[in-house]
Amino acid sequence: MMWSMLPKLPRCALLPLLMLALAPLPFAQAQVQETQAAPAASALPASLFFAPRSLGGAVLSPDGRFLAMRVLPAGERQRVRLSVLDLASMQAKVVAYFNDADIANFQWVNNERLAYSLVDRQRGQGRQRFASGMFAVNKDGSGYRQLATREGIVRDKPGMLLQPWSTFLIDNISAQTGNFVYVWRTHLSHLNSIADTSTGRLNTLTGGYETVNMPPDLLYWMSDSGVAWRMDKEFADKRNMAYTFDRPAGTWRKLAQVIPADAAGEAIAPAFLAPDGQLYVYARNGGDKVALYRFDQQGQRLDGAPLLASPDYDIQATMVHNDAKLLGIRYRTDAETTLWLDADMQAMQQAVNARLPATVNTLSVAQRTDAPYVLVSSWSDVQPPIYRLFERTSGKLIPLGKAYPGVAAEPMASRQLLHVKARDGLTLPAWLTLPKGSGRQLPLVVLIHDGPWQRGEWGWDPASQFLASRGYAVLEPDYRGSTGLGARHFRAGWKQWGLAMQDDIADAARWAITEGIADPQRICLAGGGYGGYATLMGLGRDPALFRCGIAWSSIPDLRELKDEVNWWLDDDLRNSNEQYTLAMLLGDADKDKALLRENSPRHLPARISAPLLMAHGYTDHIVPMSDARALFDAIHKTNAHALWMEYGEEGHDWVLPQTHVDFWQQSEKFLDRHIGKNSTAAKKE
């Protein structure tokens, strides 16, 4: 094995968490900065925007007396550590640290013990050597035990058998009193594709494993809320069945049996099960937007009016609870907020908000009702998360540290939500970020989100902030097909890749011109994944509107997606009961062959004549780099202003900070040349 574990860590001993959190940027980022062209003296360095988090993943222990957090100290090639803070003494101790791996996800097993897995954040996908593994350790650094191997070989350890590398932690569903965690395990076919998965319970002290029987025909298990949802094939109308997992007994109990879709074809899906046994579900109930309802388990129907609904957004909610009751419901519209059902928590929220009025302040509680502290995470469009503790008895706010210590709110640009009318009348939400002290007729970057089944939200975003710091206005439209904005907005994008979805992006740019925000001669498209695809299509369809384009991880040919769509559907439509197919969303591979061909950049290279920067990861398994490179070569035959960048270690979603720093520094030069201060259009003014 090429990694090593230092469970005692005598040289680290007690480390004040605040010192680690406020340390300067790691030397690895400084090295990247030195090898690139230096920005203007007044510009913030790119490494500031794309640095890894110094603090993250903060979770209170079940009794609320300790806080576990991932910590990245300053220094050359430092690794992310697992640190535990004793809230009584305010002393922190690093309890898990590897020389060549970083702490990834972790969870409290009980008040004394944590389980965690690893990732190598200093290697891209093309150079990863090991799986994530699984480990456990006590909060004082003692009791270290490896639970799952990081290699393909399962080896005996004294007194136990290590679990295979394909064993992964499930989000916290244990009662947090015993020594067990729940895990899922993938089983591969002889062709190394996933044949099936199984679930088990793993003892973090002994390594003992026992299988948990799952309901048949399972669609998905919402492990964090303890609810499973399956299709019952015995019923002619294919009713869905909701089950909850009885943790002590290790068995499943049926909660609900409902017809899976209403008259409009929209599913009723479970949201969570509260500590009192009340089931909450999502449903449109004849409307356009998803709302949150209580579910009457006796009558097997929605229980009256929705508990949470929005005229503009589909509700996505999680419960905030202790071991006694549901305290509140956290949900997202344009930004995250919490509906408190507990009067004490509501009063605490008001007290925190009064002292921190410039940020959204998210309160997280421990499982024990008598826990002395509440964790507060504060953030805004100009401020990445800052962590504090709220002491219940004194009302004190105790600072812990910042996720990104180098980022100050003052020089950041504000982010505002606007609404744009598409040419057919559809309303498009759009996020606008303007440079500090900006005027009118600005160079504009239309930043197109990936997915396309995602949407924008309010908060600090490194890419838009970086561009704004360089003097560019940034517009991010939620074009049709984006999710979370209702059924009408989502379905308006079906089979509209390169068509109405593309029109929405152009209409948003024209709106910015009409409003006097954008200089019509200095507008550039940029995006990754679907955003890269839309950038290429925009340059081909609207050459008079867009001066240049930046496209990364781009999709050259829609017909090539027919066998590789599950990663999208699983990631972005996971609450849909898998009712959407690629034929519905994009087009049938046979019936819509002409549609897919006509709206694929691969077949339009001669029409892409504007300056173009394309970038791709060498180990991209979603969109092979060879496909993107072939498209670039075809474009470059007639476009001498096309540039290519290749990142040998990266896959589809880039992970290395130095990749992001280099890419955005090169993008900065590209934009400056074509729509920035040194562009021909700017010099004419």
Side-chain angles (χ1 to χ4, degrees), residues 302-365:
L302 301 179
D303 187 9
L307 180 64
L308 274 176
S310 166
D312 302 312
Y313 296 94
D314 293 326
I315 293 295
Q316 294 177 322
T318 56
M319 59 177 171
V320 184
H321 65 98
N322 55 28
D323 54 10
K325 66 177 180 177
L326 178 66
L327 300 173
I329 300 172
R330 190 155 292 143
Y331 63 99
R332 181 168 72 106
T333 53
D334 57 338
E336 184 182 270
T337 189
T338 305
L339 170 67
W340 291 112
L341 307 175
D342 179 82
D344 290 341
M345 290 302 303
Q346 175 64 24
M348 194 182 309
Q349 182 78 66
Q350 292 172 348
V352 171
N353 289 350
R355 296 165 65 180
L356 303 172
T359 53
V360 171
N361 305 299
T362 301
L363 276 55
S364 300
V365 300

Side-chain angles (χ1 to χ4, degrees), residues 540-555:
R541 285 195 53 182
D542 292 290
L545 179 61
F546 300 115
R547 180 73 180 85
C548 61
I550 302 174
W552 62 96
S553 302
S554 309
I555 302 166

Side-chain angles (χ1 to χ4, degrees), residues 12 31-32 105 190 216 218 263 271 309 328 337 358 378 478 507 509 543 594-595 679:
C12 297
Q31 273 192 317
V32 172
N105 61 319
H190 67 284
L218 191 70
T337 189
S378 303
D478 281 326
D507 291 345
L595 174 73
S679 64

Side-chain angles (χ1 to χ4, degrees), residues 172-452:
N172 224 332
I173 63 165
S174 68
Q176 296 186 313
T177 54
N179 291 304
F180 291 93
V181 291
Y182 287 88
V183 299
W184 62 276
R185 182 185 294 171
T186 59
H187 303 275
L188 303 181
S189 70
H190 67 284
L191 298 176
N192 283 331
S193 60
I194 297 177
D196 59 66
T197 62
S198 61
T199 304
R201 192 168 76 153
L202 183 60
N203 189 310
T204 64
L205 289 177
T206 67
Y209 176 89
E210 57 188 53
T211 300
V212 172
N213 293 322
M214 303 295 285
D217 303 316
L218 191 70
L219 292 175
Y220 52 86
W221 180 18
M222 302 175 65
S223 54
D224 54 343
S225 63
V227 181
W229 200 243
R230 79 176 180 93
M231 183 70 73
D232 195 325
K233 295 181 179 179
E234 296 177 3
F235 289 88
D237 53 8
K238 293 185 178 180
R239 293 176 182 268
N240 278 348
M241 313 285 283
Y243 288 79
T244 184
F245 183 60
D246 187 330
R247 297 159 183 158
T251 58
W252 294 89
R253 175 172 59 86
K254 188 169 74 173
L255 293 171
Q257 177 178 304
V258 299
I259 296 175
D262 59 22
E266 292 298 334
I268 296 174
F272 51 83
L273 184 70
D276 63 359
Q278 175 64 59
L279 176 64
Y280 294 80
V281 300
Y282 298 116
R284 298 193 192 276
N285 200 23
D288 181 62
K289 307 294 191 298
V290 171
L292 182 71
Y293 290 83
R294 293 185 181 92
F295 189 81
D296 180 353
Q297 296 177 53
Q298 183 174 358
Q300 295 291 291
R301 61 178 181 270
L302 301 179
D303 187 9
L307 180 64
L308 274 176
S310 166
D312 302 312
Y313 296 94
D314 293 326
I315 293 295
Q316 294 177 322
T318 56
M319 59 177 171
V320 184
H321 65 98
N322 55 28
D323 54 10
K325 66 177 180 177
L326 178 66
L327 300 173
I329 300 172
R330 190 155 292 143
Y331 63 99
R332 181 168 72 106
T333 53
D334 57 338
E336 184 182 270
T337 189
T338 305
L339 170 67
W340 291 112
L341 307 175
D342 179 82
D344 290 341
M345 290 302 303
Q346 175 64 24
M348 194 182 309
Q349 182 78 66
Q350 292 172 348
V352 171
N353 289 350
R355 296 165 65 180
L356 303 172
T359 53
V360 171
N361 305 299
T362 301
L363 276 55
S364 300
V365 300
Q367 289 298 295
R368 286 272 297 273
T369 56
D370 59 350
Y373 296 96
V374 170
L375 179 66
V376 180
S377 174
S378 303
W379 52 271
S380 74
D381 57 338
V382 298
Q383 177 62 66
I386 298 176
Y387 295 101
R388 300 177 177 90
L389 288 171
F390 182 86
E391 190 175 38
R392 289 176 182 266
T393 55
S394 67
K396 290 181 180 179
L397 271 176
I398 304 168
L400 293 174
K402 296 182 177 182
Y404 298 94
V407 177
E410 194 280 328
M412 296 295 120
S414 64
R415 179 180 176 89
Q416 55 183 312
L417 176 63
L418 304 166
H419 291 86
V420 177
K421 283 289 185 182
R423 63 191 67 183
D424 64 355
L426 185 68
T427 299
L428 308 174
W431 295 93
L432 179 65
T433 305
L434 295 176
K436 293 278 287 189
S438 59
R440 295 171 67 79
Q441 298 285 307
L442 297 169
L444 174 70
V445 176
V446 181
L447 192 58
I448 309 166
H449 69 69
D450 192 8

Side-chain angles (χ1 to χ4, degrees), residues 150-190:
R150 298 186 69 199
E151 299 175 299
I153 302 172
V154 179
R155 296 183 299 186
D156 283 307
K157 287 277 187 175
M160 71 169 187
L161 179 71
L162 282 176
Q163 300 304 310
W165 67 268
S166 55
T167 305
F168 306 97
L169 276 171
I170 292 178
D171 292 338
N172 224 332
I173 63 165
S174 68
Q176 296 186 313
T177 54
N179 291 304
F180 291 93
V181 291
Y182 287 88
V183 299
W184 62 276
R185 182 185 294 171
T186 59
H187 303 275
L188 303 181
S189 70
H190 67 284

